[in-house]
Amino acid sequence: MRHLLILSFLTLLVGCGVKPPMEGRRDPYGHTQIHFADRDLRNHTAIDTPIVTRDDSGNLLHVTVPIRATTDLRLYVEYRVTFFDANGQPLPSTTWFPKTLEPNIPDRIQVNSVSPQAKDFQIDFRYAT
């Protein structure tokens, strides 16, 4: 009887008052450089591998993204760019820039960093508002 009472007390003591922490979910998709705000926009465009270069004079990062509207309609889109430093910290983002994509005509978006600290980038696309 005494052992049962001690065992009950220990079970109560161990199980009371301490909850496990709520851990965040890991994003299964990881980091990508091109993002679309709308599935429809993604499905109506084709993007090729970004071309990334660095100039000799200011050591700025230059990014060219080949893009094409894959529909028979003219697409009005906007894009913004965020550059990241070597630690993955964002440098100031650009404003939203307008871009008109003619039907089925290859085009490109060209941007460059304003700081030599830029090591990576992310471009976000959305329909023009």
Side-chain angles (χ1 to χ4, degrees):
M1 178 73 170
R2 184 174 180 198
H3 294 304
L4 184 58
L5 185 59
I6 292 173
L7 184 59
S8 297
F9 179 72
L10 287 177
T11 304
L12 182 65
L13 184 63
V14 170
C16 260
V18 180
K19 294 182 180 180
M22 294 287 267
E23 296 180 10
R25 293 184 305 139
R26 184 170 300 278
D27 190 346
Y29 299 105
H31 171 74
T32 59
Q33 293 174 317
I34 308 292
H35 296 257
F36 289 91
D38 187 281
R39 184 180 309 270
D40 185 65
L41 178 58
R42 183 193 69 174
N43 291 338
H44 286 101
T45 55
I47 295 212
D48 207 351
T49 304
I51 302 161
V52 181
T53 59
R54 197 172 282 281
D55 67 18
D56 294 331
S57 59
N59 206 24
L60 300 179
L61 197 63
H62 296 269
V63 179
T64 301
V65 179
I67 186 170
R68 178 174 64 89
T70 59
T71 179
D72 292 331
L73 302 173
R74 181 177 292 140
L75 296 181
Y76 299 96
V77 301
E78 295 177 329
Y79 66 93
R80 73 173 173 200
V81 183
T82 304
F83 288 96
F84 298 92
D85 67 13
N87 295 321
Q89 296 300 309
L91 301 170
S93 295
T94 66
T95 186
W96 288 96
F97 295 109
K99 179 72 174 173
T100 301
L101 299 174
E102 297 298 328
N104 296 303
I105 304 289
D107 204 340
R108 49 189 54 217
I109 292 172
Q110 297 177 314
V111 296
N112 61 281
S113 67
V114 295
S115 167
Q117 294 176 323
K119 301 295 183 203
D120 198 7
F121 69 94
Q122 173 181 311
I123 299 180
D124 304 313
F125 288 96
R126 68 182 184 187
Y127 280 116
T129 55

